[in-house]
Amino acid sequence: MTETARIHALHGKASSLVIECGADGVPVWRHWGSRLPDAVNPGPPLCDMRPLASFSLEQPAPFSLFPGFGAGWFAQSALLAHRGGEAFIFHPGNCAVDGCSPHSLTIRAIDDVAGLALAITIRLDPASDVLTIRTSLTNNGTDSLDVQWLAAAVLPLPSAVHNVRHVSGRHNSEFVACEDALGRGQWRRENRRGLTSHDSFPGAVVTTVGSTADNGLTFGAQLAWSGNHAQTIEWLDDGRYQWQLGEWLAPGEVRLAPGESLDAPEVLATCSPGGWNGVARNFHAAIRASMRWPGGTMAPRPVHLNTWEGFYFDHDEVQLKALASAAAEVGIERFVLDDGWFKGRDDDTTSLGDWTVDARKYPAGLRPLADHVVAAGMEFGLWVEPEMVNPDSDLFRAHPEWSLQVAGRPLLTARNQLVLDLTRPEVTDYLFGVIDNLLRDLPISYLKWDHNRDLTMAADVQGRAAYRRQILAAYGLFDRIGAAWPDVEIEACAGGGGRIDAGIIRRTHRFWTSDCIDAVSRVAMQRGFLQFMPPEVMGSHIGAAPAHSTGRSQSMDFRAAVAMAGHFGVEFNLLTMNAVDKARLADWIAFYKRWRHLLGGAVATGTAADHLAWQANGGGDQWLLAVYRLAPSELRYAPTLPLSFVEDGRWNVRRIDPVETPDRDARWRSGWRVDGAWLRHVGLPMPPMKAEVAAIFLLERN
Ligand code: GLA
C-alpha cells in the first residue's frame, strides 16, 4: 500500500485501486482498474475539481466505499437499517484507514449518532489481482438494530462499462449465458431460494466497450456465500456505476443486539486487461488459494465412477462389485456409491435422515463392497444428503420438530423432502455423529454431499427468518467434518449445480456441475462454470447415450472429449459395454491421466463462427486445446479458428486425441510449426468435422 495523508493505493500485477480520505466520512473511490505507478499522484482532491452542481447539496456526498442513506447519497445505499423504525441514517463522522500490509487496508468508521461501527478490510492479492473484501457492522447502540441490507462490497465501475455477463438456468440447465446492456438504470439479480441456486450465480462479469474474450478491461465479482444474495449495478450521476453485492436478507432476519456484529460474506473482485478469460484466470487463482486439500496440495484429480445414472436406487451388491472390478480394469480410480444405499431408500419418497445401511441390499453392510473397491486399487466414496429428511423416515417420525417449519403453516415438500433445521445444535450434533460414524466404520475417502431442494419456511423456533443462520450452521458442520477428517475430500452437489460458489468450495473439493450430462449441453454450461471456478473442481462425466436428461445421443469420443475439460468421471453402467467400447473408454481414461496435470493451469474458452466452441487448458509454452463442433458446418471450407490466448513465438501444433481419423487428416496428426501471431490473428486450420465431434490439439512452444 502506498499512502499520502489523503491517498491510499493498493497495486496488483495488472490492476490498482486508489481511495481518497476526506476530512471525515468513509473514503471515496478514485480508481479501480488498470495498473498505475506505485507512487501514483492523483492530483488535487476530488472535491477541488468538482464545482458544485446546480440544485445540489452544499455538502456533496461523493461515491464512497460505503455510501449511506439519508445524508445526501441518493443512489442505492450500502446499509438499510433502523432501530424500531428510527435511526435510519448512516453518516459517520469519524473514519480511519490502517494499512495492515503492503497489500491490504482496513477502513474503520464510526457513526456516534446511529451507534454504528463499520470495518471494511480490502486485500489485493498481487498474485491473482483479486480483491478480497470483508465488511462488518457492529451495533454500538443500547437497543437492537434491524438490518435490511448490508452491502458486502461496493465497487466502482468506470463509465466505459457497457455490458454485464451473468448466468441464469434451472436444474439440468445451469450456467445459461446471459448478457445485458447497462444503461441509466439499475441492473439487479436476487436469489431467495435459500441456497446458492441453479438460476442465479452470486456474481457477474462487466465488460468495457470493445472487451473480448482475451482483451480489454473487464471486471468481475462474486460472493463467497451459499445462501440468499443480491447484486445491483447502478448508474451514478457522475457517469460511473456502483456495483453492490451482498446477502439478501428476509424480513426481520437480522436484528443485532447491542454489541453484536454482522459479518457480510466475503466478496472476490477483480479486473483484468485480458477480457473475460483474464477475469476467469484471476478468479481461478483466488479460488485455488482459498481451498484446503488433504495433505496440503491437490493430488492429481482421480478418475471417478459414479453409480447414479447407471443404477439409480437399484443397488445390487453382486452387480456393484462386478461394476467396481470393471471400473478398475478400465483405469478408474475412485468409485462413488450414490443414493440408494441406506435403509428403505428404493426411490426418492423415503428414508432421508435414516443413515443406516439397507440390510436387504447389503446384508453384511457396506464393508464388503467398500473393501472390494479398495482391494481393486480404487478409493471408495459415498453419497449423503445430511441436511434433508423425508417425512417418511424414522428420523422425522422421532423428531418432526427438527425440520424447518413455521407454526400454523404447511410443510412444503420438494422431491418429497424437507430441510432439517440446522440452527438447532442437536440437529448438527446428530448429523456430525452420523457422518463421523460412517467415516469411522468404512474406508471412505470421499463424500458426495448433496442438497436437493430450495429452502422454504426457514424460521427458527421463535419464528424468526433463519436462512442466514442455516447456511452458517451448514458451514459449521462442513468445518467440523473437515477438522475431524482432514483427509476426506467432499463434493458439493445440490441437484447438480445448485450450490456452486466461492464459500462452499473452501470446505469442499469438487462440484457436481449439473445433473445434465448431455455433452452438447455441457459445452456451454462448462464455459459458464469456468468463468468463476477452476476446471479441476468441475465434475464432468461421460454419461450414457442417449443422455437421460435430454434424450440426445453423442458418440463416446465426443462425450469423453467434453468430460476431459474438467475433473473427469464416468457415470453409466460399464457392465453393459461391449469390448470395443470398453477399450475405447480405457484409451480416453489413459489420455485424461496423461494430460490432467494441465487442469491446474490457465484456461481459455471461446466460441467461433460456424458452430465451434473451444476450451484450452495449460498456459505458458503448452496448451491442450479441445475444439467442439456443435452443429454441421454451413460452409464449404471450414474457417480457421483464431486463438487469441496464444503468445508470440514458434509453436508446434498437432492433433492428439485418441480417435481414428481418416488418412486425409494425416496432416493434423503429424503436426506443423507456426507462429503464435499467426494462430492469434489468422487461426488454426480446422480438420473436417461432422456435428457433435471434437478434436483435441497439443500446442507447444519451443
Ligand atoms: C441429485 C444429484 C445426483 C444424484 C441424486 C441422488 O440429483 O445431483 O447426482 O446424486 O441427487 O438422489
Short mmCIF file of all heavy atoms in Angstrom, two decimals, residues 146 251-255 458-467 469:
data_model
loop_
_atom_site.label_atom_id
_atom_site.label_comp_id
_atom_site.label_asym_id
_atom_site.label_seq_id
_atom_site.Cartn_x
_atom_site.Cartn_y
_atom_site.Cartn_z
N ASP A 146 -32.25 -3.32 13.45
CA ASP A 146 -32.75 -4.19 12.39
C ASP A 146 -32.04 -3.86 11.09
O ASP A 146 -32.07 -2.71 10.64
CB ASP A 146 -34.26 -4.00 12.22
CG ASP A 146 -35.03 -4.65 13.34
OD1 ASP A 146 -34.87 -5.87 13.52
OD2 ASP A 146 -35.74 -3.93 14.08
N PRO A 251 -37.28 -10.52 5.65
CA PRO A 251 -37.78 -9.53 6.60
C PRO A 251 -37.50 -9.96 8.05
O PRO A 251 -37.79 -11.09 8.43
CB PRO A 251 -39.28 -9.49 6.31
CG PRO A 251 -39.41 -9.93 4.89
CD PRO A 251 -38.30 -10.92 4.67
N GLY A 252 -36.89 -9.05 8.79
CA GLY A 252 -36.63 -9.31 10.20
C GLY A 252 -35.50 -10.28 10.48
O GLY A 252 -35.24 -10.65 11.62
N GLU A 253 -34.81 -10.69 9.42
CA GLU A 253 -33.83 -11.76 9.59
C GLU A 253 -32.65 -11.37 10.48
O GLU A 253 -32.16 -12.17 11.27
CB GLU A 253 -33.32 -12.22 8.22
CG GLU A 253 -32.30 -13.31 8.32
CD GLU A 253 -32.14 -14.13 7.06
OE1 GLU A 253 -32.58 -13.68 5.99
OE2 GLU A 253 -31.56 -15.23 7.16
N VAL A 254 -32.18 -10.12 10.32
CA VAL A 254 -31.03 -9.72 11.13
C VAL A 254 -31.43 -8.61 12.08
O VAL A 254 -31.78 -7.50 11.66
CB VAL A 254 -29.84 -9.28 10.25
CG1 VAL A 254 -28.73 -8.71 11.12
CG2 VAL A 254 -29.31 -10.48 9.46
N ARG A 255 -31.41 -8.92 13.34
CA ARG A 255 -31.63 -7.92 14.40
C ARG A 255 -30.42 -8.03 15.32
O ARG A 255 -30.24 -9.05 15.99
CB ARG A 255 -32.93 -8.21 15.15
CG ARG A 255 -33.10 -7.34 16.37
CD ARG A 255 -34.49 -7.46 16.93
NE ARG A 255 -35.48 -6.85 16.06
CZ ARG A 255 -36.80 -6.93 16.26
NH1 ARG A 255 -37.27 -7.62 17.28
NH2 ARG A 255 -37.64 -6.33 15.45
N ALA A 458 -38.04 -21.18 6.33
CA ALA A 458 -36.76 -21.27 7.05
C ALA A 458 -36.80 -20.33 8.25
O ALA A 458 -36.30 -19.20 8.18
CB ALA A 458 -35.60 -20.94 6.12
N ALA A 459 -37.42 -20.81 9.31
CA ALA A 459 -37.52 -19.99 10.53
C ALA A 459 -36.94 -20.79 11.69
O ALA A 459 -36.91 -22.01 11.68
CB ALA A 459 -38.97 -19.66 10.81
N ASP A 460 -36.49 -20.04 12.71
CA ASP A 460 -36.04 -20.73 13.92
C ASP A 460 -37.24 -20.99 14.84
O ASP A 460 -38.39 -20.67 14.47
CB ASP A 460 -34.93 -19.92 14.61
CG ASP A 460 -35.42 -18.56 15.09
OD1 ASP A 460 -36.65 -18.33 15.12
OD2 ASP A 460 -34.57 -17.71 15.43
N VAL A 461 -37.00 -21.54 16.01
CA VAL A 461 -38.13 -21.89 16.89
C VAL A 461 -38.95 -20.67 17.30
O VAL A 461 -40.14 -20.76 17.57
CB VAL A 461 -37.68 -22.68 18.14
CG1 VAL A 461 -37.59 -24.15 17.85
CG2 VAL A 461 -36.35 -22.19 18.67
N GLN A 462 -38.32 -19.50 17.29
CA GLN A 462 -39.08 -18.28 17.64
C GLN A 462 -39.88 -17.75 16.43
O GLN A 462 -40.61 -16.77 16.56
CB GLN A 462 -38.15 -17.16 18.09
CG GLN A 462 -37.63 -17.29 19.53
CD GLN A 462 -36.47 -18.27 19.64
OE1 GLN A 462 -35.63 -18.31 18.75
NE2 GLN A 462 -36.47 -19.08 20.68
N GLY A 463 -39.68 -18.34 15.28
CA GLY A 463 -40.40 -17.88 14.10
C GLY A 463 -39.64 -16.80 13.33
O GLY A 463 -40.15 -16.24 12.36
N ARG A 464 -38.40 -16.53 13.71
CA ARG A 464 -37.61 -15.52 13.00
C ARG A 464 -36.90 -16.17 11.81
O ARG A 464 -36.41 -17.30 11.92
CB ARG A 464 -36.57 -14.93 13.97
CG ARG A 464 -35.68 -13.88 13.36
CD ARG A 464 -34.76 -13.29 14.40
NE ARG A 464 -35.51 -12.51 15.38
CZ ARG A 464 -35.88 -11.24 15.18
NH1 ARG A 464 -35.57 -10.62 14.07
NH2 ARG A 464 -36.56 -10.60 16.10
N ALA A 465 -36.83 -15.44 10.69
CA ALA A 465 -36.19 -15.99 9.49
C ALA A 465 -34.76 -16.43 9.81
O ALA A 465 -34.02 -15.71 10.49
CB ALA A 465 -36.19 -14.94 8.38
N ALA A 466 -34.41 -17.61 9.31
CA ALA A 466 -33.12 -18.19 9.71
C ALA A 466 -32.32 -18.69 8.51
O ALA A 466 -31.51 -19.59 8.63
CB ALA A 466 -33.36 -19.32 10.70
N TYR A 467 -32.57 -18.09 7.34
CA TYR A 467 -31.85 -18.53 6.13
C TYR A 467 -30.34 -18.41 6.33
O TYR A 467 -29.58 -19.32 6.03
CB TYR A 467 -32.27 -17.68 4.93
CG TYR A 467 -33.69 -17.91 4.52
CD1 TYR A 467 -34.73 -17.20 5.10
CD2 TYR A 467 -34.00 -18.85 3.55
CE1 TYR A 467 -36.04 -17.42 4.74
CE2 TYR A 467 -35.31 -19.09 3.17
CZ TYR A 467 -36.33 -18.36 3.77
OH TYR A 467 -37.62 -18.60 3.41
N ARG A 469 -28.61 -18.11 9.14
CA ARG A 469 -28.07 -18.98 10.18
C ARG A 469 -28.03 -20.44 9.72
O ARG A 469 -27.19 -21.22 10.14
CB ARG A 469 -28.88 -18.82 11.47
CG ARG A 469 -28.46 -17.56 12.23
CD ARG A 469 -29.34 -17.31 13.41
NE ARG A 469 -30.67 -16.87 12.99
CZ ARG A 469 -31.77 -17.04 13.71
NH1 ARG A 469 -31.71 -17.65 14.88
NH2 ARG A 469 -32.93 -16.59 13.27
#
